[in-house]
Amino acid sequence: MVVGDVTTSTDVLVIGAGPGGYVAAIRAAQLALDVTLVEKGEYGGACLNRGCIPSKALIHGSKLASEAGQAEELGIYADPTVALDEMINWKDGVVDQLTSGIEQLCTAAGVNLLKGTAEFADENKVRIIHQGEGQGSESLKFENCIIATGSRPIEIPGFGFEDERIVSSDGALNFDTVPDELVIVGAGYIGMELATVYSRLGSDVSVIEMLEQALPSYEEDIASIVRKRAERLGVDFHFGYTADSWAASDGKAVLTAVPADEAAHDSDIELTADRILVAVGRRPVTDTLSIDDAGVETNAQGFIPTDSTCRTNKEHIFAVGDVAGEPMLAHKGSKEGEVAAEVIAGEPAAVDYQALPAAVFTDPEIGTVGLTENEAANKGMTPVTGEFQFQASGRALTANRAEGFVRIIATKETERVIGAQIIGPEASELIAEIAAMIEMGAKLEDIGSTVHTHPTLSEAIMEAAQNARGKAIHRRN
């Protein structure tokens, strides 16, 4: 059907069906608004189709194979063989199941779904270009709009993704075979997660990082545990270097890296790889929107500045998720989507990031929420800190996963919990307890006096809280 120049209208237009967009659309529909959700690609966005979900599936699969093959200490002897194509098919099945589920949820909530690319015609109208030959376009007027177009991987000069040997994280989640040699540019959370996956699956992995530390946004005692574990898995790190160029040679890619600081390193290095993964970050997708025609302002990096209600400089246009800036977390986008929908419906809502957790699915996992000790001190607070090592946890030891610790930060005067960092088994799950405590305004005593099941990993949280008060039982205070 050729839609042509037909113009329709909606109360709320949502552009993008990722974690921010589809949640915003469903919430707005629940609040009795007429909602239209426009998506040019797959429902679920980058997180579901090319990020959070597929990467965690491969992390789980590779971890299962690695642990089965390295359990002699437990009296288990195995030599697992990984068929990557079958693992990829399983991963794709998980993605397909969740993608179809999102579409069904939107439809059940009464959201109008449109496939196509939305471009602003002015601040109250978009033109939707439908995909496929002869599909044409249509115009849509809106009272309010929520921009949720997400982000895409950053390319670096000379390393374009058009060559099959140079891939983004998207491509690294869909390899046909395990690369014999894999070079990863960037030791942030994406690079470190995928370094872990492919080293477990048998690749010789080398990581180039311009700074002198893996996971540079995390504290050194946390990042060093992940780095040392990766080194034990066979990952080779080259800190203080930047990727300069690459050339094809005998079917391989030869990457040349140059010192980021010539005072620290006096020569270039060359690394040979079957594939080069560029994982230096992500940038917002605003270039497809004709956003200037709506009068919406962006910053120098292309992100859309918003206030605590997710409003842009235009009162009736909102932005949520990655396109609105750091931190680029799916659950942050979902919460912002809810807030934007509620604000549009006249509800009293705002985003509060003080209890926003984050996780890195490396080996071991990292979970964080709130402030670090240094951040608290820089804000003029007097922090008090408690820690508990997983080496003293019966559950961690019986699971043979005793690396890492729980650290809890509170204010000295009130003992109100203001932050935590966990590195160790199931850190991504454990951090939720402390996030809830921060949201509730809990104190160290509230955590420490709560009876935790024994033997569980969560006991480490109780012990860390008690350690901050000088009352821990299973560690020296």
Side-chain angles (χ1 to χ4, degrees):
M1 179 182 70
V2 178
V3 179
D5 294 326
V6 173
T7 300
T8 55
S9 62
T10 187
D11 292 338
V12 182
L13 167 65
V14 181
I15 306 175
Y22 82 76
V23 169
I26 291 173
R27 186 71 185 114
Q30 290 173 344
L31 294 168
L33 296 168
D34 179 71
V35 184
T36 300
L37 175 61
V38 179
E39 172 56 56
K40 67 177 181 178
E42 311 96 337
Y43 294 105
C47 172
L48 174 50
N49 294 278
R50 301 175 299 280
C52 314
I53 300 302
S55 65
K56 303 317 167 279
L58 294 187
I59 286 169
H60 173 72
S62 65
K63 184 176 183 180
L64 192 62
S66 177
E67 289 183 346
Q70 300 179 32
E72 291 89 351
E73 185 180 356
L74 279 67
I76 299 172
Y77 297 85
D79 186 16
T81 299
V82 175
L84 184 62
D85 57 340
E86 295 179 26
M87 188 180 289
I88 295 293
N89 287 338
W90 168 73
K91 177 263 295 180
D92 290 343
V94 172
V95 170
D96 290 343
Q97 179 180 342
L98 291 173
T99 299
S100 61
I102 288 171
E103 187 172 358
Q104 291 167 15
L105 285 170
C106 289
T107 301
V111 176
N112 304 305
L113 301 177
L114 283 179
K115 276 288 186 181
T117 301
E119 298 178 352
F120 285 105
D122 57 43
E123 65 179 51
N124 287 106
K125 184 168 73 173
V126 294
R127 180 167 167 261
I128 300 171
I129 303 168
H130 297 289
Q131 299 171 343
E133 185 176 350
Q135 292 299 301
S137 64
E138 63 180 297
S139 294
L140 183 66
K141 292 183 178 180
F142 58 84
E143 293 295 322
N144 295 276
C145 176
I146 300 174
I147 301 171
T149 45
S151 63
R152 64 167 69 97
I154 293 174
E155 290 189 61
I156 57 176
F159 290 81
F161 299 137
E162 64 275 2
D163 191 291
E164 66 175 8
R165 284 165 291 199
I166 312 299
V167 298
S168 67
S169 55
D170 298 359
L173 296 173
N174 289 290
F175 286 154
D176 295 327
T177 59
V178 176
D180 290 333
E181 296 175 297
L182 175 66
V183 172
I184 299 177
V185 181
Y189 73 93
I190 295 174
M192 291 301 294
E193 286 183 354
L194 291 173
T196 302
V197 167
Y198 282 103
S199 60
R200 285 174 177 156
L201 293 177
S203 292
D204 289 332
V205 179
S206 298
V207 177
I208 297 170
E209 168 58 49
M210 67 179 296
L211 301 177
E212 295 295 336
Q213 176 183 312
L215 298 170
S217 61
Y218 289 85
E219 291 175 295
E220 167 60 24
D221 60 350
I222 291 174
S224 64
I225 293 175
V226 175
R227 175 180 56 79
K228 289 174 182 176
R229 174 60 179 156
E231 288 174 336
R232 290 200 298 272
L233 289 171
V235 178
D236 189 19
F237 289 96
H238 301 275
F239 294 113
Y241 284 91
T242 60
D244 181 67
S245 61
W246 74 278
S249 176
D250 296 328
K252 299 267 191 175
V254 179
L255 179 147
T256 300
V258 300
D261 181 357
E262 292 184 357
H265 304 282
D266 58 7
S267 62
D268 300 348
I269 57 173
E270 288 189 348
L271 299 171
T272 302
D274 298 285
R275 298 292 183 97
I276 297 172
L277 164 60
V278 178
V280 296
R282 300 180 67 86
R283 64 185 179 91
V285 177
T286 52
D287 54 316
T288 62
L289 288 170
S290 299
I291 199 166
D292 291 341
D293 291 332
V296 174
E297 295 176 355
T298 59
N299 64 19
Q301 291 76 41
F303 294 104
I304 302 174
T306 58
D307 63 15
S308 62
T309 64
C310 302
R311 275 195 172 94
T312 69
N313 62 300
K314 291 291 183 179
E315 186 80 4
H316 65 298
I317 300 179
F318 299 71
V320 303
D322 287 4
V323 77
E326 296 283 359
M328 293 190 189
L329 300 169
H331 47 283
K332 166 195 170 262
S334 294
K335 184 59 181 178
E336 290 174 340
E338 287 188 55
V339 167
E342 290 167 0
V343 170
I344 289 170
E347 302 263 333
V351 180
D352 182 359
Y353 298 112
Q354 70 170 341
L356 179 70
V360 182
F361 294 83
T362 45
D363 184 6
E365 290 183 354
I366 301 170
T368 61
V369 66
L371 301 175
T372 66
E373 187 174 10
N374 286 336
E375 288 169 343
N378 290 338
K379 287 179 175 289
M381 302 177 184
T382 303
V384 59
T385 300
E387 291 189 4
F388 190 78
Q389 305 291 324
F390 281 113
Q391 288 178 347
S393 163
R395 185 68 187 98
L397 288 167
T398 57
N400 202 30
R401 298 163 66 193
E403 285 182 293
F405 56 83
V406 175
R407 176 189 293 139
I408 294 180
I409 297 95
T411 59
K412 185 175 182 180
E413 297 82 2
T414 66
E415 292 194 354
R416 182 172 62 86
V417 180
I418 56 174
Q421 299 88 47
I422 302 176
I423 177 164
E426 309 301 334
S428 60
E429 302 287 345
L430 294 172
I431 199 65
E433 177 181 341
I434 307 176
M437 291 293 180
I438 295 174
E439 182 68 30
M440 295 168 62
K443 297 184 177 183
L444 291 170
E445 184 180 7
D446 296 315
I447 300 177
S449 63
T450 299
V451 179
H452 288 63
T453 308
H454 176 76
T456 62
L457 298 170
S458 66
E459 289 177 290
I461 295 174
M462 175 183 68
E463 292 278 4
Q466 291 290 59
N467 176 245
R469 305 177 69 224
K471 295 184 177 182
I473 298 297
H474 294 97
R475 72 154 290 173
R476 194 175 292 173
N477 290 295

